[in-house]
Amino acid sequence: MSNTISRKDFLVRAGSALAVSAIGFPSIILPQNNEKLGVALVGLGYYSTNILAPGLQQTEHCELRGIVTGSPEKIPVWQEKYGIPDASVYNYETMHEIANNDDIDVVYIVLPNNMHAEYSIIGANAGKHVWCEKPMAMNVEECRAMIDATEKNGVQLTIGYRMQHEPNTQTIIKYGEEETYGRITAIRSGGGFRANHEPDNWRAVKEMGGGALYDMGVYPINAARYSSGMEPVAVRAKQWSVREDIYSDCDEYTDFDLEFPNGLTMEGKCSFGNGMNYLDIDCSDGWYRLRPFLSYSGVRGATSDGTILAPDPGHQQARQMDNDALAIKNGTNPTAPGEEGLRDVRIVQAIMDSSRLDGQWMQL
Ligand code: NAD
């Protein structure tokens, strides 16, 4: 080996410095706290290109160092724009070789939903921490396989639930915990937009995890869980499509009701047919709401006593990735671990089952 030390050795040595500093040199600079984690984006579609890569230019605790892509024409563009060396460029067949790349600490899976499990597991088996986009996977079995792979390899698995890192969302989570406006009596939440996918786009293809429920439904489902702090016990749902020429294979619309153990109910909606973006919470002593509640920016809130929750100006995904990087560096639990994604996917599956059974209540 050359006279440079690898990043792993550096982190180990830095760890020893930390041990010394804790004993006798409190003012010593702790290099591992300044060391950014290297992130490889896996899948260079819309979200990686327009949101995550720019976000990684603003992060303090991690940075973009690698790419995994099946589109050769994208490679020079990304290399030039972000200074990515040849040694950190992979395709889906060579991705496992990332195991030998000390510059990469995290793989961030930003692929069509049916590819999340396979590539998360390849990343985990390569010894890399895994960040995976929502929805975590197609079904609970895939989610469990992802959790098992990351546990076996001693790496973290984190789901890209950006709202859980958003300040106004965190404020309303606290309202729920502290019963600031009393006991929650009803939750209503919907997420949707007027989509115009080509019929062969993966978001319109059932086997690839297409449909409004996988894409948008996880937002109101996750919101019901984080705002109430409870797990639902039953669900009923209806799924349908109006534009059968595009969404013949999967849902354009899903309506669902969740029931919680204390009798609380949540009315959820998601859609590829029309825009909706609200999280409304009624309580015994008032109400609060976030509108919009799932946008990349501009999430704002209002409450029954006139409190305004003004939008946070920061880059939402940069905050999410920094929090997730800090959890890895500090060895603490991430905000949204794999189990969090699994719980939502279990509800997604029950919603699809209920719809097939004409809206029958399904126990969770
Ligand atoms: P996209 O269609 O723009 O990109 C998908 C990428 O996967 C493309 O680069 C494509 O080339 C690649 N790919 C590899 N194999 C493919 C195959 N067999 N078929 C189709 N594409 C293939 O999608 P996107 O909007 O970037 O979404 C990617 C993931 O990120 C999804 O899981 C989505 O739910 C998630 N996402 C999350 C958010 C969020 O706010 N958290 C926002 C957008 C997307």
Side-chain angles (χ1 to χ4, degrees):
M1 203 176 139
S2 70
N3 60 357
T4 57
I5 60 168
S6 75
R7 290 185 68 253
K8 272 196 185 115
D9 286 349
F10 174 75
L11 289 170
V12 169
R13 292 181 202 182
S16 313
L18 172 62
V20 170
S21 77
I23 300 165
F25 307 101
S27 62
I28 196 168
I29 294 166
L30 302 177
Q32 80 279 27
N33 284 340
N34 298 325
E35 180 82 358
K36 288 186 173 187
L37 298 185
V39 177
L41 290 173
V42 183
L44 307 181
Y46 165 79
Y47 198 50
S48 284
T49 304
N50 296 299
I51 308 293
L52 297 178
L56 282 162
Q57 309 315 300
Q58 298 188 33
T59 39
E60 273 178 58
H61 301 289
C62 54
E63 64 190 7
L64 179 59
R65 294 217 191 109
I67 49 175
V68 179
T69 179
S71 308
E73 72 281 5
K74 292 179 185 169
I75 295 171
V77 179
W78 280 70
Q79 284 196 288
E80 191 178 331
K81 190 159 185 188
Y82 296 113
I84 296 166
D86 290 345
S88 295
V89 176
Y90 300 87
N91 60 41
Y92 300 114
E93 287 70 43
T94 62
M95 180 179 155
H96 61 280
E97 293 169 12
I98 216 163
N100 306 318
N101 189 337
D102 277 347
D103 277 347
I104 308 294
D105 303 284
V106 178
V107 294
Y108 194 162
I109 311 301
V110 201
L111 288 165
N113 301 336
N114 67 325
M115 299 172 74
H116 289 184
E118 180 180 356
Y119 289 93
S120 292
I121 292 168
I122 291 172
N125 287 339
K128 304 302 175 184
H129 300 282
V130 177
W131 295 344
C132 178
E133 259 316 314
K134 48 53 65 178
M136 180 171 171
M138 298 290 286
N139 53 51
V140 167
E141 289 70 35
E142 286 189 355
C143 295
R144 278 200 213 291
M146 292 162 72
I147 292 171
D148 288 350
T150 48
E151 282 179 353
K152 187 182 81 190
N153 287 289
V155 293
Q156 286 201 2
L157 170 60
T158 301
I159 309 305
Y161 279 137
R162 56 189 168 79
M163 304 326 304
Q164 294 197 28
H165 301 265
E166 195 280 323
N168 288 335
T169 305
Q170 290 175 335
T171 297
I172 66 108
I173 290 172
K174 216 179 209 166
Y175 289 165
E177 285 166 1
E178 296 175 357
E179 299 197 340
T180 312
Y181 294 87
R183 194 172 38 82
I184 296 177
T185 55
I187 302 174
R188 293 173 299 281
S189 183
F193 62 101
R194 178 75 179 173
N196 261 314
H197 299 116
E198 294 296 326
D200 63 349
N201 183 291
W202 68 266
R203 278 189 167 88
V205 177
K206 186 178 178 179
E207 306 82 67
M208 301 194 76
L213 176 61
Y214 277 118
D215 197 48
M216 299 306 291
V218 288
Y219 288 101
I221 292 171
N222 201 243
R225 294 181 45 254
Y226 61 62
S227 55
S228 69
M230 289 190 289
E231 297 302 327
V233 291
V235 63
R236 69 174 175 191
K238 185 176 153 199
Q239 300 191 280
W240 73 100
S241 294
V242 173
R243 289 176 292 167
E244 290 282 348
D245 51 328
I246 308 178
Y247 304 107
S248 59
D249 202 25
C250 56
D251 62 307
E252 184 181 6
Y253 297 87
T254 296
D255 284 0
F256 60 95
D257 294 320
L258 291 177
E259 189 182 288
F260 288 86
N262 64 353
L264 170 71
T265 56
M266 179 265 187
E267 251 176 57
K269 287 180 188 295
C270 57
S271 172
F272 275 168
N274 49 319
M276 54 177 95
N277 196 338
Y278 61 90
L279 171 58
D280 294 353
I281 301 189
D282 295 339
C283 300
S284 51
D285 303 330
W287 53 262
Y288 44 94
R289 64 183 185 220
L290 292 178
R291 292 182 177 214
F293 88 106
L294 63 73
S295 304
Y296 295 156
S297 62
V299 170
R300 66 182 74 225
T303 75
S304 52
D305 63 9
T307 303
I308 295 295
L309 303 175
D312 179 81
H315 192 292
Q316 216 178 73
Q317 288 82 356
R319 181 192 293 266
Q320 166 206 324
M321 293 187 281
D322 263 343
N323 286 345
D324 291 340
L326 274 177
I328 292 170
K329 289 167 76 171
N330 296 335
T332 53
N333 291 330
T335 302
E339 288 74 10
E340 181 72 1
L342 182 150
R343 289 188 187 111
D344 288 349
V345 168
R346 176 184 291 133
I347 297 167
V348 163
Q349 284 190 273
I351 285 174
M352 296 190 294
D353 289 343
S354 170
S355 181
R356 274 193 290 270
L357 296 169
D358 289 329
Q360 197 173 300
W361 279 102
M362 310 298 296
Q363 300 305 309
L364 290 164

